[in-house]
Amino acid sequence: MQILIVEDDRGITSFLEKGLRAEGYATVVAGTPDEARLALGTADPPIDLVLLDLGLPGGEGGEVLAWLRGLGMATPVIILTARAEVEQKVRGLNGGANDYVTKPFSFDELLARVRAVLRTAEQPSSSEIVVGDLRLDLLTKVAWRAGQRIELAPREWALLELFMRHPHQVLSRAQILSSVWDQTFETGSNVVDVYVGYLRKKLNKPALEPLLVTVRGAGYRFATDATGRSGQPERSADARN
Ligand code: CA
């Protein structure tokens, strides 16, 4: 489990890093909204949860939350802030935050909330995943794109679900192999490329934007060139439709 700490106070950052690592979580730190967007777009393995301070140099933590939800990313977010006002809390939760912790907080309290949010996030919160014009119906295991039904083989389904749960993030072949295929393949296996090819054939139609982008030397990303370029989050935020 990889946790992104978005916080500009070094004391709090190192307190959180030490505590979370001692509990077995991997951590990444971002001190500004731009760094947070970059980390969310490029972290490998992908970020599983975000601890988000609201007052940051160069912007508001709320922008990061709005950007994330605007892209259709369901990554859980816990807001950390000194602003205990009810109004702020309500706004944070309305903006798509999963929970809220006010400073000062004890590490045990934070840890309990992290665990609770991760537990909830692991269960599908709804019966479908929607990214752009593609929808996965988790009950019937059928994909729909632009209103057209797409039948998928079980392995294709598992691969597409993985991509859609991590939209706009680069997934390496090794990550995909370990998530979608149980057995270990020898290095150099091209099974991932073969299945990405199958998915492209089924998902990509001449009139629609191609969805699975090859990132040279890194892997694949579920997004078009226009919607998911790492490091250019500003463009991706408005390219959702
Ligand atoms: Ca701050």
Side-chain angles (χ1 to χ4, degrees), residues 159 172-174 176-177 181 189-197 220:
L159 180 58
S172 69
R173 287 176 180 78
I176 297 170
L177 270 178
W181 282 266
S189 163
N190 69 343
V191 66
V192 170
D193 311 84
V194 169
Y195 271 80
V196 166
Y220 293 101

Side-chain angles (χ1 to χ4, degrees), residues 6-9 12 53-57 80 103:
V6 186
E7 170 63 75
D8 59 313
D9 182 312
I12 296 176
D53 177 31
L54 291 183
L56 296 166
L80 306 178
K103 298 174 189 171

Side-chain angles (χ1 to χ4, degrees), residues 46-75:
I47 303 295
D48 296 294
L49 181 136
V50 183
L51 298 178
L52 183 63
D53 177 31
L54 291 183
L56 296 166
E60 278 283 309
E63 303 169 16
V64 177
L65 180 60
W67 172 81
L68 196 63
R69 296 299 181 248
L71 289 175
M73 290 169 77
T75 314

Side-chain angles (χ1 to χ4, degrees), residues 96-110:
N98 300 68
D99 205 349
Y100 209 100
V101 178
T102 49
K103 298 174 189 171
F105 52 85
S106 76
F107 184 75
D108 286 346
E109 181 198 355
L110 179 82

